[in-house]
Amino acid sequence: MGESMSQSTLGLQPAAKQEPGSKKPTFRPDIQGLRAVAVLLVIADHLFGYPLGGFIGVDIFFVISGFLITGLLVREQQKTGRISFADFYRRRVRRIIPLAVLVLATTVAASWALFPAIRAQKITVDGIWSFVFGANWHFALDGTDYMQADAAVSPLQHFWSLAVEEQFYVVWPWLVVLFFGVLASRLRWSPAISRIALAVAILAVSAASFLFAMWETATAPTVAYFSTFSRAWELGAGALLAVIAPVLHRLPEVLRSFLAYLGLAGIAACALLINPDTPFPGPWAVVPVGAAMLVIVAGTGGKQRHLYPLTNPVSRYLGDISYSLYLWHFPAIVLLGAVYPLDSPMSFAVILAVIIGLSALSYYFLEDAIRHSSWLEPKSKRRKSTRKGAERLSQGALVAFGLVTLIVVGAALAKTSQTEEGYVTAPIAAPLAGTGASAAPDTPASAWAMKINAALGSPTWPQLSPSIDALGDDARVPEWWQDGCLATDRAQVQDPIANADHCVYGSPAATKTAVVLGDSVAISYVPGIRAALEPLGFRVAVHTMAQCPVADVRVLKADGSAHTQCDTFRSWTFDNAAATSPDLIIATSAIGTLDRLASKATGAAAYTEFEGGFQRSLAKLVPVTEKVVWLNPPPGGKPLLECATKLSSPKDCVATVSQKFLDYEDAARKSVGALGLPNVSVVDSKPWFCSQNSCPAFVESAPVFADGAHLTAAFSSSMGELLGPVLSE
């Protein structure tokens, strides 16, 4: 803000007398305890994965923040007759910025020390967005970006909620000033009328935000989760309580205790019953928001003598350091989890100790030190007793500087023992003995098995091509990334059906035609399919659409929105096959299809629906071609950008075949078997990726996956020797 703004105050109404029934604001131990509940729920969800609804802790924080900040503004206006924007934003900076900067700097430095450069670069960008309080929109775009669907999680992703709050507070003080300052002065409203008018305005704004959240959750769930517009009503709920506080002062004590425990019970129920599949924030966030409101209402204007779960010393202390706990917990979980697998009570205990230790130090040396210092305070308001705060602040600065320096120096030392790509490398190891592969392989399959076993037995990283730092968009198959043959809303501005005409590969003189149908997993196989079939005189036509399976089932997109083009595109591929009568149809789809059924079916019901849809599709394809080959999708793997660190070995990135994949494979076989069609085959893909259910992250020098789900161009091309016999039989 400019100097003129920093000296200005807004609000014209003279200071009002205290309203009847109002009391001097006092410390709220119950709110500190509620903060503790909120942050512990979030940490438990992120660290243990339980309770599944632990993410409602963020909603509780929103309600608390709306209540406290609005109450602060209203009391300031009543006391001084005006609201100082300069003071308000100065307080926000003192409260939010120093610790946020420390966490961001430490996390980015640690990421460069630990992760591949490409991931560290992305985290640095996340840090920049977080610093300018735009993280929620940044992550919303990433969350709805199909290309980033399998990207490694960012240790700064939790900064989205802080961004929502600060964006809200860019606008919120103006609304308070409008009603308590401008309108109240011009219309000669009494303080009580001003409160009523402001309460009505808050209700209107919150209702509009809630209705928008309902709509956005139904149409774009990922965006809705991060959206300021879909979350504003939660802060507004807390703000409403602050405005109607004089009415709440009159509640009898017996009712207060009942409301408090009812609210706590509601929070517990939400944590246990709400899960990531629950429509959120509209409408189900209204339940934890309402529960948090009950707890706050219970303590407004009266002491909580019987609420020991929130007012005990431990809860109060955790509430005091809750901001530090929230900011530190996710970087600690992601960064430490990358080198210290979260698979034992000891590992959980270590990470919890680090989170609590960092938070306690940050609170003492930074948060509380700044609170007792005169940093950013105008001369007229500087406190006399700031020596201890200043001493602690300087000590905290030294601790922070030392922490970041240690990480940077550690990164420099780590790089001295790495190759140019950042990893200790060695030639590929010899095949493991006793794995079943013959010493002198006489088939492509047995030779490939030896390569798989060699990768599983390698103690160090080979020199990968592409390197780990080159993984991402450019590592995907060129038919997708360069030629645009995967129809997507993002990449295709033209009609995806018309666009498919140019996605035909091979010699124009070829006498046979093969068609590839499916989604992004199908197109990931195309380099290998081309390598296998083009030498045999085939032209290969690629008709694929992102997130659109071959099975005749209705699906949603990865962000939960309707996939409006899929049914039309699938029907066109069937009609086109009927018109052209290809010699061979090759089809496959991602396992994740089962998680995106529009019917929301899960478990056995989802497999049954998939089987029925697959059979309907086969019934249309079989009559128009000599042969249909269903290539099972890859079993999946660990994204190298997530599992590979500068301290890891290839064993850290070995994946195992999931039961979900085995069930998916079984469903495809059942579908074909039930029809009894002689010209349809289901091909087992496991031997191409795994040995005895263990799946390496690379084979020879080629990384298997660009992102955890889609094959690299290098690996797919190398599969031609495997696919040739399968497709030409």
Side-chain angles (χ1 to χ4, degrees):
M1 288 184 292
E3 183 65 25
S4 60
M5 176 63 77
S6 67
Q7 300 298 324
S8 68
T9 57
L10 298 178
L12 306 174
Q13 182 176 327
K17 295 181 180 180
Q18 199 152 0
E19 295 179 61
S22 66
K23 297 181 180 180
K24 184 179 179 179
T26 58
F27 174 70
R28 291 283 301 268
D30 57 321
I31 287 185
Q32 291 302 88
L34 190 59
R35 278 176 165 154
V37 170
V39 76
L40 290 178
L41 283 173
V42 173
I43 293 174
D45 180 27
H46 289 156
L47 182 56
F48 306 115
Y50 186 84
L52 292 177
F55 57 84
I56 66 166
V58 172
D59 305 272
I60 298 172
F61 274 128
F62 285 156
V63 178
I64 294 172
S65 182
F67 174 76
L68 294 178
I69 297 301
T70 304
L72 181 73
L73 292 170
V74 170
R75 289 193 297 272
E76 179 182 355
Q77 196 284 328
Q78 287 185 319
K79 182 178 179 180
T80 67
R82 61 189 183 182
I83 293 175
S84 169
F85 272 16
D87 286 347
F88 175 79
Y89 290 114
R90 187 183 297 115
R91 288 192 297 266
R92 296 303 294 169
V93 170
R94 282 166 54 90
R95 174 77 177 100
I96 299 298
I97 296 297
L99 180 57
V101 169
L102 174 61
V103 174
L104 290 172
T106 304
T107 303
V108 170
S111 298
W112 280 99
L114 188 61
F115 294 132
I118 187 172
R119 186 177 181 189
Q121 289 168 359
K122 290 181 178 179
I123 292 171
T124 303
V125 172
D126 297 340
I128 294 171
W129 280 99
S130 298
F131 178 73
V132 299
F133 300 115
N136 60 322
W137 297 113
H138 171 61
F139 290 124
L141 291 175
D142 273 354
T144 57
D145 185 351
Y146 182 63
M147 308 304 178
Q148 303 297 326
D150 299 292
V153 65
S154 170
L156 299 176
Q157 186 167 302
H158 63 312
F159 268 78
W160 75 268
S161 62
L162 193 61
V164 168
E165 281 198 28
E166 298 316 306
Q167 291 165 24
F168 181 82
Y169 291 130
V170 168
V171 177
W172 196 247
W174 291 88
L175 184 63
V176 178
V177 166
L178 175 65
F179 282 87
F180 271 98
V182 179
L183 293 179
S185 177
R186 292 183 178 179
L187 301 177
R188 300 183 182 278
W189 285 346
S190 67
I193 295 298
S194 298
R195 279 184 181 270
I196 293 172
L198 181 57
V200 172
I202 292 173
L203 272 174
V205 171
S206 299
S209 172
F210 180 74
L211 292 175
F212 181 81
M214 293 275 288
W215 171 81
E216 194 168 36
T217 301
T219 57
T222 301
V223 176
Y225 190 86
F226 293 109
S227 170
T228 307
F229 305 111
S230 292
R231 294 287 190 166
W233 67 272
E234 300 182 39
L235 290 121
L240 180 63
L241 295 183
V243 173
I244 65 171
V247 177
L248 302 178
H249 293 162
R250 305 165 189 166
L251 293 175
E253 186 172 344
V254 174
L255 182 59
R256 292 179 184 280
S257 297
F258 172 75
L259 293 178
Y261 279 101
L262 180 62
L264 287 178
I267 290 171
C270 290
L272 295 173
L273 299 177
I274 288 177
N275 60 67
D277 294 327
T278 304
F280 211 88
W284 287 103
V286 74
V287 184
V289 166
M293 291 176 71
L294 288 178
V295 177
I296 294 173
V297 164
T300 302
K303 292 184 178 180
Q304 283 293 347
R305 297 185 177 88
H306 309 295
L307 200 57
Y308 191 73
L310 296 184
T311 58
N312 67 79
V314 174
S315 295
R316 288 172 57 176
Y317 180 71
L318 291 175
D320 289 342
I321 67 172
S322 59
Y323 180 54
S324 289
L325 284 169
Y326 183 78
L327 289 194
W328 281 117
H329 86 280
F330 204 55
I333 291 171
V334 174
L335 296 172
L336 292 178
V339 296
Y340 195 67
L342 300 177
D343 56 5
S344 68
M346 180 58 70
S347 63
F348 291 128
V350 168
I351 290 185
L352 275 176
V354 170
I355 294 170
I356 294 173
L358 287 172
S359 302
L361 289 172
S362 297
Y363 177 74
Y364 181 80
F365 286 114
L366 202 58
E367 283 192 82
D368 201 47
I370 288 176
R371 188 166 62 88
H372 289 91
S373 76
S374 57
W375 181 61
L376 289 186
E377 291 282 7
K379 291 182 179 181
S380 60
K381 294 185 178 181
R382 286 183 181 174
R383 303 161 188 164
K384 297 180 180 179
S385 302
T386 61
R387 182 175 178 181
K388 289 185 179 180
E391 288 177 353
R392 275 197 281 162
L393 193 57
S394 61
Q395 293 167 353
L398 290 175
V399 171
F401 178 76
L403 182 62
V404 176
T405 301
L406 180 64
I407 293 171
V408 173
V409 171
L413 292 175
K415 286 190 176 182
T416 61
S417 64
Q418 312 297 333
T419 67
E420 182 179 352
E421 294 172 355
Y423 299 87
V424 176
T425 61
I428 194 72
L432 291 175
T435 56
S438 62
D442 55 4
T443 66
S446 57
W448 192 268
M450 292 187 69
K451 297 175 184 179
I452 295 285
N453 287 318
L456 289 171
S458 178
T460 54
W461 294 99
Q463 294 185 357
L464 299 176
S465 179
S467 68
I468 294 176
D469 285 340
L471 292 177
D473 296 340
D474 292 339
R476 294 188 175 98
V477 299
E479 293 83 359
W480 172 358
W481 197 247
Q482 296 174 17
D483 300 345
C485 294
L486 180 72
T488 66
D489 288 344
R490 169 183 163 178
Q492 304 290 125
V493 293
Q494 61 268 61
D495 182 353
I497 294 174
N499 184 67
D501 290 341
H502 83 275
C503 298
V504 181
Y505 301 90
S507 171
T511 58
K512 293 179 285 189
T513 302
V515 176
V516 179
L517 304 181
D519 53 19
S520 57
V521 169
I523 201 173
S524 292
Y525 274 126
V526 166
I529 293 171
R530 290 179 58 191
L533 294 182
E534 287 180 9
L536 300 178
F538 277 87
R539 298 181 72 201
V540 179
V542 180
H543 298 158
T544 56
M545 172 172 273
Q547 307 176 76
C548 185
V550 175
D552 184 14
V553 292
R554 301 200 65 181
V555 294
L556 304 173
K557 293 183 180 178
D559 66 351
S561 61
H563 200 328
T564 56
Q565 290 184 315
C566 180
D567 291 344
T568 301
F569 184 84
R570 186 193 300 115
S571 296
W572 173 82
T573 62
F574 294 163
D575 293 341
N576 183 74
T580 58
S581 297
D583 301 278
L584 173 64
I585 293 178
I586 306 161
T588 191
S589 301
I591 304 172
T593 297
L594 295 170
D595 299 323
R596 297 185 290 103
L597 296 175
S599 66
K600 302 295 181 72
T602 59
Y607 287 104
T608 300
E609 183 175 342
F610 168 77
E611 290 174 16
F614 190 32
Q615 290 174 357
R616 288 192 294 274
S617 295
L618 288 177
K620 296 178 181 178
L621 295 175
V622 167
V624 302
T625 184
E626 294 180 10
K627 183 178 181 181
V628 176
V629 175
W630 172 265
L631 296 180
N632 272 318
K638 294 182 179 179
L640 274 171
L641 291 181
E642 185 170 341
C643 66
T645 70
K646 293 171 183 176
L647 303 176
S648 68
S649 72
K651 291 183 179 179
D652 296 314
C653 292
V654 172
T656 56
V657 178
S658 68
Q659 186 61 46
K660 184 176 181 179
F661 170 82
L662 297 176
D663 292 341
Y664 187 83
E665 181 182 52
D666 187 55
R669 291 192 181 278
K670 285 181 178 179
S671 298
V672 173
L675 294 176
L677 300 171
N679 63 334
V680 180
S681 61
V682 176
V683 180
D684 182 9
S685 64
K686 290 194 300 300
W688 303 339
F689 301 94
C690 313
S691 176
Q692 297 180 356
N693 288 339
S694 294
C695 314
F698 60 89
V699 175
E700 291 190 313
S701 63
V704 178
F705 295 105
D707 51 21
H710 303 108
L711 304 180
T712 62
F715 182 84
S716 183
S717 297
S718 70
M719 295 179 68
E721 61 186 87
L722 294 170
L723 291 171
V726 169
L727 299 178
S728 62
E729 285 177 354

